[in-house]
C-alpha cells in the first residue's frame, strides 16, 4: 500500500470520483478541491466521505476554484501532494460556446495557475502533474485514427482552452524539468456521467420513456462518431502515467468508434425497444418499431443485481406498481431532432489509437461498448424507478431535461 498524497481538482466530477476511489484503494491520502455551490454538490463522492473528526481519515475536501490562484497556492502548500491531477474544468463543449471567457479562465488559465503554484512553492522536483487533455484537441481531424502525433485543430472555445493547457504542460516539463503529463483521453462515460452529455442524456431519457415518465428525447447531430470508453478504466491510465520513469503524453481510447445514432439504437435495444428512423435532417424521428417485452421484463427485474448503486431499499420488481405499459410505445416517435443541440462547429469523428499506452503503460480498456451502454441503462432504470414510486404515490413529476 502506498502512503502517497494526491490532490485532485474536479473531485466532484465523474472522473474525480472514480480516481479518488482508485487512489484510496491504493492507500493514498486524497485531497480534493471543490467549488462552493448553493446546494450540496458532492453526490458522486458522498460514499467515500468520512467525517474529518474521525481517526485515520484519508479523504479530505477543500473549497477552492481554478480561477483563484491564491487558494490553489495555499491548498498545495497545506497538503504537500506527491501527485496533482488537474481534472477540474468547464467540461461541456456546447456550453463553452455560450461561456467562452469563463471556459478559458478555468480550463486554460486554471492549469497555468496550478503549474505556477508548483513553481512558486519550489515543488517542481517533488510533484508529479497530470493534465486532463482531450480528444477534442483533434477537432477537425487530420487523420484517422488519432495518435500522440496527429496534429491538433480545435473546434470550440473548450478545445482551444484545453490546447493552451496541453502546451503549458509540455512547456513546464521542458522548461523546468517537471514531471508533467498530458493524458489525451477520448470520451469516457459511466453511470455517473453528467446528465447533459449525450450518452447519459440518452440512457436517462430512454429509461424514463420506458417507464412512462417522459414522452420524447430531443437530440442534435445523430451522425457524430465518438470513441466511448468507461471512466473507471480511464482513471487507471491517469495514475499509470504518473508512475513511469519519465513523463510523457499518452492517448487513452478504446480504438472503436460509434455514432450517436448507434448509441441510441443499442440503448433502446437494451430495453427491448427496436427503433426505425424516418425523415431526414431536422425532421428525422426515431419511431418505436417493436417491443421485446420479455427482454424488458428481464432487464427491469435483473437491474438491481448488476447495479453499483444496489441497495436493499428497493427489492420489489420495478414495474409491479407502474400503470404504464411499454407496449403503448409501439408506433410512437420517441426520438426527435432539435437543432438547438447543433454546435456552431462540430467534431465529426473521433477514433483513438491507444497503442502507446498499451505498450508503455500496459493499459487497456476493460469495458466494451455494449457493456458500457448496458451498465448505463440499468443504472438509469434503477434511478428513474424512484420517480415511478413517487408518481404512483401521487406526487407530480417534472422533467427538466426533456
Ligand atoms: P465533469 O464535468 O464531470 O467534472 C468537472 C469537475 O470540474 C467538477 O468537479 C466541477 O465542479 C469542476 N470544476 C468546474 N469548473 C471549476 C473551477 N472553475 N474550479 C474548480 N473546479 C471546477 O468532467 P469529467 O469528470 O468528465 O472530466 C474530467 C476532466 O477531464 C475535465 O477536465 C474534462 O474536460 C476532461 N476530459 C473529460 C473527458 C470525458 O469524456 N469525460 C475526455 C477528455 C477530457 P462542479 O461539480 O462544481 O461543477
Ligand atoms: P463531447 O461530448 O462534446 O464529445 O465532449 P457530448 O456527449 O456532449 O457530445 C458528443 C457528440 O454528441 C452530439 N450530440 C449531442 N451532444 C449533447 N451533449 N447533447 C445532445 O443532445 C446531442 N445530440 C447529439 C454532439 O454534437 C457531439 O458530437 C465530451 C466532454 O466530456 C469533454 O469534456 C471531453 O473533452 C470530450 O468528451 C472528449
Amino acid at each position: 500500500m502506498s502512503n502517497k498524497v494526491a490532490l485532485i481538482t474536479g473531485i466532484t466530477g465523474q472522473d474525480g470520483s472514480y480516481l479518488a476511489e482508485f487512489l484510496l484503494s491504493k492507500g493514498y491520502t486524497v485531497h480534493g478541491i471543490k467549488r462552493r455551490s448553493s446546494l450540496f454538490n458532492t453526490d458522486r463522492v458522498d460514499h467515500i466521505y468520512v467525517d474529518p473528526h474521525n481517526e485515520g481519515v484519508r479523504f479530505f475536501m477543500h473549497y477552492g476554484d481554478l480561477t483563484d490562484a491564491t487558494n490553489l497556492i495555499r491548498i498545495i502548500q497545506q497538503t504537500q501532494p506527491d501527485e496533482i491531477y488537474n481534472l477540474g474544468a468547464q467540461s461541456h463543449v456546447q456550453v463553452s460556446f455560450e461561456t467562452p471567457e469563463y471556459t478559458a479562465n478555468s480550463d486554460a488559465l486554471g492549469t497555468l495557475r496550478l503549474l505556477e503554484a508548483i513553481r512558486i512553492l519550489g515543488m517542481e522536483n517533488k510533484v508529479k502533474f497530470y493534465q486532463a487533455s482531450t480528444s477534442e484537441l483533434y477537432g477537425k481531424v487530420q487523420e484517422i485514427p488519432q495518435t500522440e502525433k496527429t496534429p491538433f485543430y480545435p473546434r470550440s472555445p473548450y478545445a482551444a482552452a484545453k490546447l493552451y493547457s496541453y502546451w503549458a504542460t509540455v512547456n513546464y516539463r521542458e522548461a523546468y524539468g517537471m514531471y508533467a503529463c498530458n493524458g489525451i483521453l477520448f470520451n469516457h462515460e459511466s453511470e455517473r456521467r453528467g446528465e447533459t452529455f449525450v450518452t447519459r442524456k440518452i440512457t436517462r431519457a430512454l429509461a424514463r420513456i420506458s417507464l412512462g415518465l417522459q414522452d420524447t428525447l430531443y437530440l442534435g447531430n445523430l451522425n457524430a462518431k465518438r470513441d466511448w470508453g468507461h471512466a473507471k478504466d480511464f482513471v487507471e491510465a491517469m495514475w499509470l502515467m504518473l508512475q513511469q520513469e519519465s513523463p510523457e503524453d499518452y492517448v487513452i481510447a478504446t480504438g472503436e468508434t460509434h455514432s450517436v445514432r448507434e448509441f441510441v439504437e443499442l440503448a433502446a435495444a437494451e430495453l427491448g425497444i427496436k427503433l426505425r428512423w424516418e425523415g431526414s435532417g431536422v425532421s428525422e424521428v426515431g419511431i418505436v418499431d417493436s417491443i421485446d417485452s420479455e427482454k424488458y421484463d428481464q432487464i427491469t427485474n435483473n437491474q438491481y443485481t448488476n447495479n453499483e448503486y444496489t441497495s436493499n431499499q428497493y427489492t420489489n420488481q420495478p414495474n409491479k406498481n407502474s400503470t404504464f405499459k411499454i407496449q403503448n410505445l409501439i408506433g410512437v416517435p420517441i426520438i426527435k431532432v432539435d437543432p438547438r443541440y447543433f454546435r456552431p462547429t462540430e467534431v465529426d469523428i473521433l477514433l483513438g489509437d491507444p497503442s502507446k499506452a498499451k505498450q508503455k503503460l500496459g493499459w487497456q480498456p476493460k469495458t466494451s461498448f455494449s457493456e458500457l451502454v448496458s451498465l448505463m441503462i440499468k443504472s438509469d432504470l434503477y434511478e428513474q424507478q424512484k420517480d415511478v414510486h413517487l408518481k404512483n404515490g401521487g406526487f407530480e413529476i417534472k422533467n427538466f431535461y426533456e
Side-chain angles (χ1 to χ4, degrees), residues 14 89-94 107 132-137 158 162 185-189 193 195-202 217-228 260 338 341-343 346-348 350:
Q14 170 188 259
Q90 189 301 90
S91 71
H92 204 284
V93 173
Q94 185 155 22
D107 298 16
S133 286
T134 164
S135 51
E136 283 295 296
L137 296 175
Y158 166 80
K162 286 282 189 179
L185 270 56
F186 283 62
N187 298 54
H188 45 281
E189 319 294 311
R193 185 60 145 151
E195 291 93 340
T196 61
F197 295 99
V198 78
T199 55
R200 183 74 198 287
K201 185 173 165 184
I202 294 166
L217 163 61
Y218 292 98
L219 291 170
N221 179 8
L222 297 169
N223 299 319
K225 295 183 102 178
R226 290 290 182 273
D227 180 330
W228 278 298
V260 171
D338 183 344
Y341 299 113
F342 291 164
R343 295 172 181 184
E346 175 64 288
V347 173
D348 297 324
L350 291 173

Side-chain angles (χ1 to χ4, degrees), residues 21-64:
E21 277 171 14
F22 177 76
L23 294 176
L24 287 169
S25 77
K26 293 228 162 276
Y28 278 63
T29 295
V30 176
H31 295 272
I33 299 184
K34 68 166 180 178
R35 297 192 289 178
R36 194 269 161 182
S37 65
S38 64
L39 290 169
F40 285 130
N41 183 26
T42 52
D43 286 14
R44 293 186 178 105
V45 284
D46 281 345
H47 62 291
I48 51 175
Y49 181 78
V50 184
D51 187 332
H53 302 98
N54 292 0
E55 264 177 45
V57 178
R58 289 192 289 118
F59 181 64
F60 303 91
M61 282 196 281
H62 308 260
Y63 282 112

